[in-house]
Amino acid sequence: MESAVGNLSPSQKDELMDQVKQQIAIANAQELLTDMTKKCFNKCVVKPGSSLDSSEQKCVAMCMDRFMDSWNLVSRTYGKRIESEHNRQ
């Protein structure tokens, strides 16, 4: 018995792969934002209230910048490693 994907044309398979990649990218972005929010909130907001004071705002902004810088560095390094491994094959 042939799978449903096997019945798709090459262009339909490409479109399906693009949709899956988009969904994965969205899920990764949501996870990144959730992780960053949790870590920075826990680090910077000692006594939650109705608003952030200026030191909390500055801490959250700097924490998010560092988190994104770190995430970008890891992503670039991982991408280069995958590329170099792919080129060795």
Side-chain angles (χ1 to χ4, degrees):
M1 185 171 158
E2 218 174 315
S3 71
V5 175
N7 294 331
L8 297 176
S9 70
S11 65
Q12 288 173 320
K13 286 179 184 178
D14 289 343
E15 184 178 332
L16 179 61
M17 284 303 296
D18 288 343
Q19 289 174 359
V20 169
K21 287 176 185 177
Q22 283 180 332
Q23 289 175 352
I24 290 170
I26 290 169
N28 285 339
Q30 288 172 331
E31 184 177 352
L32 172 66
L33 186 57
T34 299
D35 288 348
M36 182 172 48
T37 301
K38 282 182 195 174
K39 288 181 189 333
C40 293
F41 183 86
N42 289 338
K43 176 184 179 353
C44 299
V45 182
V46 181
K47 292 186 273 181
S50 60
S51 63
L52 299 175
D53 65 28
S54 62
S55 65
E56 291 170 330
Q57 288 178 17
K58 185 175 181 178
C59 179
V60 168
M62 291 179 72
C63 176
M64 291 174 78
D65 286 345
R66 284 192 305 272
F67 193 98
M68 287 303 299
D69 289 344
S70 299
W71 189 85
N72 287 331
L73 175 64
V74 169
S75 295
R76 281 193 307 272
T77 303
Y78 180 72
K80 287 178 184 177
R81 182 174 180 180
I82 294 295
E83 185 179 326
S84 72
E85 288 178 6
H86 179 72
N87 290 338
R88 280 190 259 163
Q89 293 177 1

